[in-house]
Amino acid sequence: DSGVTQTPKHLITATGQRVTLRCSPRSGDLSVYWYQQSLDQGLQFLIQYYNGEERAKGNILERFSAQQFPDLHSELNLSSLELGDSALYFCASSVAGQGMDTEAFFGQGTRLTVV
Amino acid sequence: DQQVKQNSPSLSVQEGRISILNCDYTNSMFDYFLWYKKYPAEGPTFLISISSIKDKNEDGRFTVFLNKSAKHLSLHIVPSQPGDSAVYFCAASPRTSYGKLTFGQGTILTVHP
């Protein structure tokens, strides 16, 4: 158990809908990262938050947004869903935003299926 | 543009022998390299890392070697055990944002008893 909790584990929704994925980081971790793993793209970095503020952005679509709340949990919002958004979405957390001690610990992921 | 490449989709090894997983990268800004292991239905688990100032890091049965001039790193597992069977991902991050990992496509390691 990595200490990172993601809910829900599975989500099935229709095209055009909006969903929210939730992540609770390990106790004490200030950084939260979101990754997408699809069959053809592998693990892709989406976005990082550090202590409530956006720190780094990857290839995140404009239809996707995220935030980190004062209690450090994070939510990833996916809207106007398309079939191609079906993927595993991982959240990871680490102690700091920069520095060598930033091995990220991953949650078990949320499997999103868009039908 | 795949900045981190694992060219072998799979590797099969006998128990007790050495497993060598390879990874190449193209981005000179990468400063920190990691290996993650992933079992089905679980998130990736951190295994071992190395910074660009070193060429070797060892942790028990796992050793990572970094050749900066060749932009190549490898993970050696000695001796291999059936429980090591999993998908292994190489990842790299730049000095400016260590948490922003770029992953390779993964190598499926199967260790036969």
Side-chain angles (χ1 to χ4, degrees), chain A residues 102-115:
Chain A
T102 54
E103 288 88 4
F105 293 83
F106 283 75
Q108 291 193 317
T110 293
R111 180 171 293 282
L112 173 66
T113 303
V114 182
V115 297

Side-chain angles (χ1 to χ4, degrees), chain A residues 33 35 98-100 102-104 107, chain B residues 32 36 43 46 51 96 98-99 101:
Chain A
Y33 314 82
Y35 288 84
Q98 289 185 353
M100 287 309 211
T102 54
E103 288 88 4
Chain B
Y32 194 51
Y36 279 83
F46 169 74
S51 80
T96 51
Y98 282 120
L101 300 175

Side-chain angles (χ1 to χ4, degrees), chain B residues 30-67:
Chain B
F30 287 148
D31 187 59
Y32 194 51
F33 304 89
L34 308 92
W35 285 92
Y36 279 83
K37 175 172 153 178
K38 186 179 181 305
Y39 293 115
E42 293 184 12
T45 303
F46 169 74
L47 205 52
I48 192 168
S49 63
I50 188 167
S51 80
S52 60
I53 60 172
K54 294 185 176 181
D55 54 18
K56 177 181 173 181
N57 188 27
E58 201 169 344
D59 184 3
R61 297 186 296 114
F62 303 92
T63 303
V64 56
F65 294 91
L66 175 63
N67 182 334

Side-chain angles (χ1 to χ4, degrees), chain B residues 50-98:
Chain B
I50 188 167
S51 80
S52 60
I53 60 172
K54 294 185 176 181
D55 54 18
K56 177 181 173 181
N57 188 27
E58 201 169 344
D59 184 3
R61 297 186 296 114
F62 303 92
T63 303
V64 56
F65 294 91
L66 175 63
N67 182 334
K68 277 187 66 178
S69 60
K71 293 191 173 68
H72 176 84
L73 63 155
S74 62
L75 174 69
H76 292 209
I77 306 173
V78 182
S80 302
Q81 299 172 354
D84 296 329
S85 298
V87 181
Y88 288 78
F89 291 96
C90 166
S93 66
R95 186 179 302 114
T96 51
S97 184
Y98 282 120

